[in-house]
Amino acid sequence: SGGNLLIGTTTDDGSNKLQVNGSATFGAFVFAERFRTTVAGSASFAAIYMNNDSNTGLFQPTSDNIGFTTGGSEKMRLTSDGRLGIGTTSPSSILHLKNDTSTITLESSDTSLGPDQVWASLDFKQNDSSQTPVGSVANISAIAKAGNTNFGNLLFQTKSRPADTYNNTLFLSSSGSVGIGTTSPARTLDVAGRGRFVDSNSTVDILPSNFTPLVITNSGGYAHARINGFEVGGNTTATSE
């Protein structure tokens, strides 16, 4: 009818050269510009599946959404607004993971890491040309340092305007040391640059000065420091804490 081949039906839809009413088996490749299934399917019976495993494949849970099912249970959904949910059917962000224990694993296949080699990282980029720099503006990296077991270090880097180079903002070493402005902390807390410690009453400043490298101020007007059991500063005796 009109040059169309009908198998299992006498009703020509007028638009398809091959029309099959029922199941069809192909023992080789099938090439087509488009492939369409006329059923939405479900998590328990996918619209597109492999072999006889009908509860594992693709289906359409709602209009403009794609569901991925395995073993009869929906495991992943891609929504019409470009959000991907793994373990959830209602992703609230571009990538939404849900599980009893949601873990993201970054694994390096390199079996011969060298000193200062980055083996895993998260990169943060922005594309607003009115703000510089454009592109990568922050990074969190797992980095190897010298030593066969010194691989579990985290380096936090940021860029400031208008420079386009990374600042080593924070470094967490595998031994538990913290470096601010340095990637080689020699103490539990090692700060390269000025430092300030503030509580409700007192402020301690560490300054690059040959005369007053340590400045202590107190909102009450009197500031004291205890050094090896001796109290210095102010004009009154400090009270016990």
Side-chain angles (χ1 to χ4, degrees):
S1 174
N4 297 336
L5 176 60
L6 312 181
I7 301 176
T9 180
T10 59
T11 303
D12 187 356
D13 63 15
S15 60
N16 296 296
K17 291 296 183 181
L18 175 62
Q19 301 168 42
V20 180
N21 182 17
S23 301
T25 300
F26 299 89
F29 293 106
V30 176
F31 298 94
E33 290 184 0
R34 293 181 177 88
F35 178 82
R36 184 183 71 173
T37 174
T38 57
V39 295
S42 65
S44 60
F45 199 156
I48 301 175
Y49 59 90
M50 283 64 71
N51 296 318
N52 295 318
D53 195 1
S54 61
N55 65 358
T56 297
L58 303 179
F59 72 103
Q60 187 181 36
T62 60
S63 178
D64 296 328
N65 289 262
I66 299 175
F68 300 78
T69 179
T70 60
S73 175
E74 184 177 357
K75 299 301 192 302
M76 185 166 65
R77 180 174 294 192
L78 181 61
T79 64
S80 59
D81 54 1
R83 297 179 180 182
L84 181 64
I86 301 177
T88 177
T89 59
S90 303
S92 59
S93 59
I94 190 170
L95 177 61
H96 185 160
L97 309 180
K98 181 180 180 181
N99 201 345
D100 291 341
T101 304
S102 295
T103 301
I104 298 176
T105 301
L106 302 179
E107 180 178 355
S108 171
S109 60
D110 192 338
T111 59
S112 57
L113 296 174
D116 296 321
Q117 179 178 338
V118 173
W119 56 270
S121 65
L122 294 174
D123 202 39
F124 302 86
K125 294 185 177 182
Q126 71 90 16
N127 294 296
D128 184 355
S129 59
S130 66
Q131 304 293 324
T132 55
V134 174
S136 180
V137 295
N139 184 281
I140 303 174
S141 299
I143 184 172
K145 301 294 283 185
N148 293 332
T149 60
N150 198 7
F151 296 145
N153 308 282
L154 286 179
L155 175 61
F156 294 73
Q157 296 178 305
T158 57
K159 289 181 179 179
S160 57
R161 299 181 65 185
D164 196 26
T165 57
Y166 274 120
N167 300 308
N168 294 329
T169 306
L170 179 68
F171 182 82
L172 306 179
S173 75
S174 59
S175 61
S177 298
V178 178
I180 299 177
T182 177
T183 59
S184 301
R187 299 289 187 271
T188 301
L189 176 61
D190 197 337
V191 180
R194 299 188 177 198
R196 168 169 285 190
F197 301 86
V198 180
D199 69 6
S200 59
N201 297 311
S202 300
T203 300
V204 178
D205 284 295
I206 302 174
L207 305 174
S209 171
N210 293 328
F211 301 100
T212 55
L214 181 65
V215 178
I216 304 174
T217 56
N218 185 276
S219 61
Y222 302 105
H224 296 264
R226 184 177 291 114
I227 303 175
N228 291 332
F230 295 94
E231 294 176 353
V232 295
N235 55 9
T236 63
T237 302
T239 59
S240 300
E241 295 181 355

